[in-house]
Amino acid sequence: MITIKGYNFLENKNIYISLTNIYGIGFSRSKYICKSLNINFYKKNKYLTEIELKNISNKISLFKTGDFLKKIVLNNIKNLKYIKCYRGVRHEKNLPVRGQNTKNNSKTRKGPRKSIFFKKKVNVKKTKKKK
């Protein structure tokens, strides 16, 4: 296994695919990293040299990634909730934020259907026993 910035990569994967395992790096950013360092996209991880690994880790450090980026995103959501804007309210209610149809779609955000059972309370009068 090869480690870059604390992330473990499989040796048989292509470098541009394995870079997407890092939170904050997608396909376009991984291709940009490979292109700027003149590394073939389809080069397997086990064939990378030490110099290439150092260059990749230096290039990754220019971007906000990992736990730092997660903290930023969570703080942004917290701020939206605090100022009570529309998006913040949608986050609080666990509803879709970006305008999706809530009647038909949004199963992933709302979760599985919740069946509603209302139990009627039966008022039973206590009777006194006669002596």
Side-chain angles (χ1 to χ4, degrees), residues 70-131:
K70 286 180 185 177
K71 285 179 186 176
I72 292 172
V73 170
L74 287 175
N75 283 336
N76 290 342
I77 293 172
K78 230 183 252 184
N79 187 30
L80 290 172
K81 289 178 183 178
Y82 177 74
I83 63 174
K84 299 285 187 189
C85 69
Y86 181 77
R87 283 173 54 201
V89 171
R90 302 296 278 186
H91 273 292
E92 285 178 355
K93 293 181 179 179
N94 285 334
L95 292 171
V97 178
R98 297 184 179 178
Q100 293 89 342
N101 187 359
T102 56
K103 181 181 174 187
N104 301 326
N105 306 333
S106 75
K107 301 294 183 220
T108 54
R109 183 67 195 231
K110 286 166 55 174
R113 256 190 205 162
K114 298 166 188 120
S115 57
I116 301 170
F117 291 106
F118 289 109
K119 292 184 179 178
K120 292 184 179 179
K121 293 183 180 178
V122 179
N123 291 333
V124 179
K125 294 182 180 178
K126 293 181 182 178
T127 57
K128 294 182 180 178
K129 291 182 182 178
K130 295 180 180 177
K131 291 183 183 180

Side-chain angles (χ1 to χ4, degrees), residues 1 9 20 22 27 30 36 38 40-41 46-47 51 54 56-57 75 81 88 91-92 102 106 110 125:
M1 286 213 151
F9 298 133
T20 59
I22 300 173
F27 280 111
S30 68
S36 64
N38 294 326
N40 188 7
F41 298 141
K46 61 183 171 184
Y47 298 122
I51 297 168
K54 282 184 181 178
I56 290 171
S57 65
N75 283 336
K81 289 178 183 178
H91 273 292
E92 285 178 355
T102 56
S106 75
K110 286 166 55 174
K125 294 182 180 178

Side-chain angles (χ1 to χ4, degrees), residues 4 14-16 18-19 30-45 47-57 59:
I4 299 174
N14 297 334
I15 183 63
Y16 85 98
S18 58
L19 281 176
S30 68
K31 284 187 178 182
Y32 166 76
I33 290 169
C34 292
K35 210 179 241 186
S36 64
L37 297 175
N38 294 326
I39 299 172
N40 188 7
F41 298 141
Y42 304 107
K43 192 172 189 178
K44 301 287 183 187
N45 291 334
Y47 298 122
L48 291 173
T49 62
E50 290 293 324
I51 297 168
E52 289 174 335
L53 290 173
K54 282 184 181 178
N55 289 340
I56 290 171
S57 65
K59 201 70 165 176

